[in-house]
Amino acid sequence: MADEAALGTRIAARAKVGVDEVRSVFEAQGIPLAVPPTRPRSLRIHRLRVAGVRTGTLEPGPFATSFEFEEGLTALVASNLRGKSSVLELVTWCLRGTPREKSGAIHWLSEVDLDATVAGQAMAFRLDLQAEEITSAVVLTGPDQRTLKALRTPDPAQGVLPLFRAASSESYAQQVQALMMQWMDLQPLVSAQQGTTAVAHGWPAYYGALYMPAARSAALLGDVVMAGLPGRLLQVFLDLPAAAVLAKVKTQAALMSTARQRRQGTANEAQAERAEQRGRIEADLSAAQTRLAQLTQATNGSKHESLADLAAATKQLSTAAVDSQEAWDELMRLHRQAKSQRQRDEKLLNDVRESGIARRLFHGLDPTTCPRCDQSFAIERRQLEVQDHSCAVCARPVQGDDEVPEDVVAEAEERVKSSSEAERLAKEALVQAETELDRISHDLRAAQDRLRQADAAARVPVYAQVRDEVLRLEGSLSVLPELPPPGVDPVEDLAIKVLRAAAKTLEDDHEKEAARLFTDLNAEISSLGRKFGFAALESVSINRAAQLRVTSDGGHERSFTDQVPGERLRLRIAVIVALLRVGAAHQVSTHPGLLLIDSPKAEEIQDVDIHLLLQELNAVAEANNLQVLVTTADFGLAHDVLPAESIKEAAEGKPLW
């Protein structure tokens, strides 16, 4: 908590914010503010067992081979293409999750067992294979290596428990990489890809500092040059303060800053584009308004009536004429209906005066259509009703007479009187409507004549067009308001400010620690390089980005990538050993101490040089608690340099396993 408080206070002072704000930013980004001491990362392998069935002409049949590994340098010796490199790949498959390269012999295997100690904990890696793929796997942990050696499955009675199980190569790779990151106390190496995406490199990237890449590789540490990974590995394995935290802080600050810049850039572009659009519309609107004012002035200055007034009056009269015509049509219909009713009533009066049957039917229904089929009665049926006294509906005879014909006649006369009055009123209304229609029609014709005769009539289409254009442009402006300037997110600004201050603070810590370590590191690399056979080497200079400058041949300075493959190999080994030596001296060494080197003699190294390299590497490994596995096809080389117990060899031409 004291370290966290001290670091938070320093970052807050640099960012000029409160310590609580610093803490909240780190919590929001999921970055630890404290820098706890690193746990030991020692990694040792003790036994590799492989089993399967070999096919082909070279010693076909079942096999089961075990290799025991001790501290110091161990040489795997066999003829070319006899399985020595595949031993490194099988160790890598167990520890890394995937082999770097699958050799052709792996398809013979059905079982692969590796016993190792990871950060002080005994572990057993048990893989079952078929067709070069994992069908089942389990990683066990137990009290010691002796207990684990005899087991391939959990045994709770002996304290052997599974850490995880897997049923495929993909599942095993994912789980073993997570396991190693946890037990080796490592954080993902995070970098920003093209400033937009955070890319996390896990255990496989770290493992590249254990398994030397091909000498021609441009990477000094690890097997990935991009994303600054060699420098990240150097900083982690020297345990420079909060190397993983610094990487996360710098990456997150870069991502957030880039996202803000892009968002602001997009907003600025949109704002500029909107301003340009409005500028064009405003210019067009100004021109249209000027033109409209000119047309309005010319129209108002005319000696004749206003075109606008004439057009409005004409439109009003046209509407009134239409309404008056519709009213006249309706009154004409009503007048005709009233006239028809009056004529029917007069005929009925005549009928009741002359016919008793008519008087008897007077108060009955007078349908015009059949009540069942809605068809009109034939004229003949009506005539028969009068002539033959047969009902027009049912055609039956109508007999008898009314007793009071005077009442029927009087009522029929009253009906005639009423219908005649209705006809008269309808006629009067129709005459009035005709008069009004004539007046409106006359006024409309007069207005139309005045509109046609007006000198300014020719300007009406142009005026209307320009007026519509003004309205359209005003509408366009209303739906394209000015965009506000890019908004400022105070939370984002605070986060970027704090993260940048944190990056600078942690960088200062790194620089102070690096100044103390790198002088010793450079001297150690130079000394080891010369011991490993780089006789012309005078000095080196390595920085925190793992960029190595090499001075040799009388002051000639070149980069690491400018060296020949053999010199690159010597320098890589020298860097790893120097990390262990200087780290141990300063009590900051966190390299696992395991090194795999495949066929160093193949990298253009002369016989004298390779003897010297392996002799010195053996001495350095013993003196610095380093475990090194080297493969070679040179039987004499291994026996010249190493004792028999440090050599795992097959007879010449025979398989190693």
Side-chain angles (χ1 to χ4, degrees):
M1 293 298 294
D3 291 341
E4 178 180 347
L7 180 58
T9 300
R10 292 162 56 207
I11 295 173
R14 173 164 258 158
K16 298 180 180 180
V17 298
V19 176
D20 290 341
E21 291 176 304
V22 172
R23 188 174 292 107
S24 66
V25 168
F26 271 70
E27 289 176 355
Q29 300 302 321
I31 302 174
L33 184 58
V35 185
T38 304
R39 294 192 321 218
R41 295 194 178 107
S42 176
L43 178 60
R44 291 292 181 270
I45 59 174
H46 306 291
R47 182 182 70 99
L48 176 70
R49 173 184 170 274
V50 293
V53 178
R54 181 180 290 104
T55 59
T57 59
L58 180 63
E59 299 189 8
F63 64 90
T65 306
S66 294
F67 301 94
E68 303 283 344
F69 303 105
E70 303 296 335
E71 293 282 345
L73 178 63
T74 299
L76 301 169
V77 186
S79 302
N80 288 330
L81 303 177
R82 290 298 180 264
K84 58 185 183 298
S85 295
S86 61
V87 170
L88 301 186
E89 294 299 337
L90 292 173
V91 170
T92 298
W93 196 348
C94 292
L95 293 179
R96 180 178 182 260
T98 56
R100 195 167 63 180
E101 295 179 2
K102 284 187 177 180
S103 68
I106 290 180
H107 71 277
W108 292 333
L109 296 173
S110 59
E111 295 179 356
V112 176
D113 298 346
L114 179 70
D115 298 334
T117 300
V118 180
Q121 177 62 49
M123 293 187 187
F125 301 79
R126 304 296 187 244
L127 278 59
D128 293 330
L129 308 179
Q130 184 176 351
E132 302 185 14
E133 295 293 336
I134 294 175
T135 57
S136 67
V138 62
V139 176
L140 306 173
T141 182
D144 52 54
Q145 288 296 334
R146 185 174 60 182
T147 304
L148 290 172
K149 182 176 181 179
L151 298 174
R152 297 197 81 245
T153 58
D155 187 352
Q158 300 187 64
V160 177
L161 302 174
L163 291 174
F164 72 80
R165 300 178 185 272
S168 67
S169 298
E170 293 77 7
S171 175
Y172 178 78
Q174 293 174 359
Q175 295 190 74
V176 81
Q177 290 167 18
L179 176 75
M180 297 301 287
M181 291 290 284
Q182 176 185 356
W183 279 88
M184 299 293 279
D185 192 29
L186 295 168
Q187 298 294 324
L189 298 172
V190 182
S191 60
Q193 186 175 35
Q194 298 179 348
T196 59
T197 306
V199 179
H201 301 272
W203 174 239
Y206 284 107
Y207 194 85
L210 281 62
Y211 194 168
M212 294 288 99
R216 299 178 186 277
S217 171
L220 177 63
L221 275 177
D223 48 19
V224 179
V225 182
M226 304 299 292
L229 285 182
R232 303 282 181 82
L233 292 173
L234 176 66
Q235 294 172 32
V236 170
F237 289 141
L238 263 185
D239 199 23
L240 291 176
V245 174
L246 174 60
K248 285 186 177 181
V249 167
K250 293 176 67 175
T251 299
Q252 194 60 26
L255 290 175
M256 294 185 71
S257 180
T258 300
R260 181 175 66 178
Q261 291 174 358
R262 291 196 173 190
R263 188 175 63 254
Q264 290 177 343
T266 301
N268 289 334
E269 290 177 2
Q271 190 178 27
E273 182 179 357
R274 178 61 58 82
E276 182 181 357
Q277 290 177 330
R278 285 184 60 86
R280 291 197 303 267
I281 295 173
E282 287 172 347
D284 294 343
L285 177 59
S286 178
Q289 288 172 334
T290 301
R291 177 62 175 153
L292 183 62
Q294 293 172 348
L295 289 172
T296 302
Q297 183 178 6
T299 301
N300 292 339
S302 173
K303 296 180 181 179
H304 300 278
E305 296 179 82
S306 167
L307 285 176
D309 293 342
L310 285 173
T314 301
K315 181 179 179 181
Q316 184 177 6
L317 287 170
S318 297
T319 302
V322 171
D323 294 341
S324 181
Q325 181 65 50
E326 291 177 352
W328 183 88
D329 291 340
E330 177 64 16
L331 289 172
M332 175 58 77
R333 184 186 66 79
L334 294 175
H335 174 258
R336 289 174 178 170
Q337 183 178 346
K339 182 178 179 180
S340 176
Q341 184 64 39
R342 188 263 304 166
Q343 290 174 342
R344 290 183 60 194
D345 289 344
E346 287 180 346
K347 182 178 181 303
L348 182 59
L349 175 60
N350 186 58
D351 289 343
V352 298
R353 284 174 176 170
E354 296 178 357
S355 170
I357 296 302
R359 288 192 296 274
R360 182 173 179 80
L361 295 175
F362 178 78
H363 292 290
L365 297 175
D366 188 22
T368 59
T369 60
C370 176
R372 295 190 65 192
C373 63
D374 284 338
Q375 297 188 53
S376 300
F377 293 120
I379 297 175
E380 294 79 2
R381 298 286 291 271
R382 291 290 188 183
Q383 291 175 348
L384 289 174
E385 188 176 76
V386 176
Q387 296 173 3
D388 299 339
H389 301 164
S390 61
C391 177
V393 177
C394 63
R396 293 180 179 178
V398 179
Q399 299 177 355
D401 197 358
D402 56 318
E403 298 177 356
V404 283
E406 294 83 2
D407 294 342
V408 174
V409 173
E411 185 175 347
E413 290 174 346
E414 185 63 30
R415 287 188 181 185
V416 172
K417 181 179 179 182
S418 297
S419 58
S420 298
E421 179 63 17
E423 180 183 9
R424 183 186 67 78
L425 293 175
K427 179 65 174 178
E428 290 179 357
L430 179 62
V431 171
Q432 291 178 358
E434 287 177 348
T435 303
E436 181 66 13
L437 179 59
D438 290 343
R439 183 189 67 78
I440 293 175
S441 299
H442 178 269
D443 292 345
L444 177 60
R445 287 192 295 272
Q448 290 173 338
D449 289 341
R450 290 197 304 272
L451 188 60
R452 284 192 295 269
Q453 293 171 2
D455 292 338
R459 294 190 183 96
V460 170
V462 178
Y463 179 88
Q465 181 180 359
V466 174
R467 182 188 59 191
D468 291 344
E469 180 68 7
V470 169
L471 295 175
R472 184 186 68 79
L473 292 171
E474 289 176 344
S476 298
L477 278 180
S478 68
V479 298
L480 287 176
E482 293 183 358
L483 292 178
V488 177
D489 185 349
V491 175
E492 181 184 57
D493 282 356
L494 174 64
I496 293 175
K497 181 192 294 186
V498 169
L499 291 175
R500 286 176 174 174
K504 291 179 181 178
T505 301
L506 293 172
E507 283 280 5
D508 290 345
D509 293 345
H510 273 225
E511 289 178 2
K512 292 177 182 178
E513 188 68 18
R516 188 169 64 91
L517 293 174
F518 276 62
T519 299
D520 294 347
L521 189 62
N522 288 331
E524 195 65 43
I525 295 172
S526 300
S527 174
L528 289 167
R530 287 189 291 270
K531 285 183 179 181
F532 292 157
F534 195 163
L537 179 62
E538 298 172 8
S539 65
V540 300
S541 176
I542 191 171
N543 61 18
R544 287 183 297 135
Q547 296 168 332
L548 185 70
R549 301 296 299 177
V550 181
T551 302
S552 61
D553 300 320
H556 183 58
E557 182 179 308
R558 293 177 297 170
S559 68
F560 170 78
T561 55
D562 291 332
Q563 310 302 313
V564 298
E567 292 171 351
R568 290 187 192 179
L569 177 62
R570 294 182 179 91
L571 289 170
R572 283 197 186 94
I573 300 173
V575 168
I576 296 296
V577 176
L579 286 175
L580 289 165
R581 282 187 171 180
V582 173
H586 291 268
Q587 297 183 342
V588 294
S589 176
T590 59
H591 189 282
L594 174 65
L595 201 57
L596 310 180
I597 307 173
D598 189 19
S599 301
K601 187 177 179 180
E603 304 296 352
E604 302 179 12
I605 298 179
Q606 302 300 321
D607 288 345
V608 174
D609 293 339
I610 191 62
H611 276 72
L612 178 61
L613 173 61
L614 291 187
Q615 287 173 352
E616 291 296 330
L617 186 56
N618 184 41
V620 167
E622 292 180 353
N624 294 275
N625 193 31
L626 184 66
Q627 187 180 40
V628 183
L629 269 64
V630 176
T631 67
T632 181
D634 190 332
F635 290 81
L637 170 64
H639 287 281
D640 289 345
V641 174
L642 298 173
E645 61 268 19
S646 297
I647 301 174
K648 313 296 179 184
E649 67 178 330
E652 190 166 355
K654 298 294 184 178
L656 187 61
W657 49 270

